[in-house]
Structures are given as C-alpha cells and as structure tokens.
Amino acid sequence: QTLIRILSIIVVATTITTANALASSLSDNSNNALGPPPLQERINLGTLSISPMGLGTLNLPLDKESDEETTSVLRTASSMGINFLDTAEAYGFGRSETLTKNSIQGAGLVVSGGELSNTMNVATKFAPVPWRSDS
C-alpha cells in the first residue's frame, strides 16, 4: 500500500507531445549548453533507484504493437535520465503494456530494477476487468 501511494505521488503523466518537445529542444541545442541530462538525480524507493520524473504511457498510440515514434520517445527519455515508466492494463485493453515492452526493446533498453543507464523501471496497474478471463 505504501509503495503504491509513493508511486502514485511521483508518477508524472507525460504525453508524446511533451516528450517530443523536450527531444526537439535537446536536438536543436548543438553545443549542449544544457549541461548533463536534467534527470540524473535518483529517488530511492525500496530496492529501486528511479528518476524524479516518470513517463506515463496513457497517450501512446494504442492501435499498434510497435511504433518507431514511441521507441524514439523512450530512447530520448532515457538519454535525459528518465528511467521510470507508468502503464496500466486498462490503457487500450492491455495494448499499452505490449507497446511499452516492444518499444523498450526497440530502443535498446531493458526492464529491470538495476542501476544501468539502459534500464527502465516499469510500474503497471491491473484490476478485475471484463476482458480478462480470470476476473
């Protein structure tokens, strides 16, 4: 319960549009005057060490199992220091989780609780819903 409350507090839902705007501002800055990636700081949450801002997946294109733009957004988020993704079974009847997994793999990232720079920590939620056979 406490972990769920903490995750709920720190999750910041970010749309593809916002991530693309951030990616554009980084790519337009050829001399990297911004300095190091802005989200390298970490918050210790139990055994996890996560970025202070997460990336929400509610607004991903849920009609696809893989998407190059989503892969690019995750790659950019990771390069900025974001290592925490939020998804849910209810986003597109489970399609968000599939797209998230495929995009993480496509971006050369891994799902884990590790400290590696290519690691994404993923939070998901589920509930008894009509489309699940075990509900």
Side-chain angles (χ1 to χ4, degrees):
Q1 291 276 345
T2 302
L3 180 59
I4 291 171
R5 284 189 199 125
I6 292 171
L7 287 175
S8 297
I9 291 169
I10 62 173
V11 171
V12 177
T14 306
T15 64
I16 288 178
T17 304
T18 304
N20 281 338
L22 291 170
S24 294
S25 70
L26 286 177
S27 65
D28 290 344
N29 190 349
S30 59
N31 65 2
N32 198 17
L34 293 176
L39 298 170
Q40 290 298 316
E41 186 176 324
R42 294 292 180 250
I43 297 169
N44 292 321
L45 184 63
T47 60
L48 300 177
S49 180
I50 60 171
S51 52
M53 181 187 294
L55 178 67
T57 62
L58 175 62
N59 294 314
L60 296 180
L62 300 177
D63 58 336
K64 303 174 182 179
E65 286 194 6
S66 64
D67 176 61
E68 186 53 43
E69 186 174 11
T70 301
T71 299
S72 177
V73 166
L74 294 185
R75 193 177 293 118
T76 300
S78 176
S79 72
M80 293 175 62
I82 294 173
N83 75 342
F84 181 65
L85 298 177
D86 174 61
T87 188
E89 179 183 28
Y91 304 166
F93 305 103
R95 288 188 294 264
S96 173
E97 292 170 322
T98 301
L99 177 61
T100 299
K101 176 190 73 121
N102 293 338
S103 296
I104 287 171
Q105 290 172 344
L109 304 170
V110 295
V111 175
S112 176
E115 293 288 327
L116 302 173
S117 62
N118 68 335
T119 297
M120 279 291 175
N121 298 286
V122 179
T124 189
K125 301 158 293 287
F126 64 93
V129 289
W131 60 83
R132 285 184 48 214
S133 61
D134 61 349
S135 44

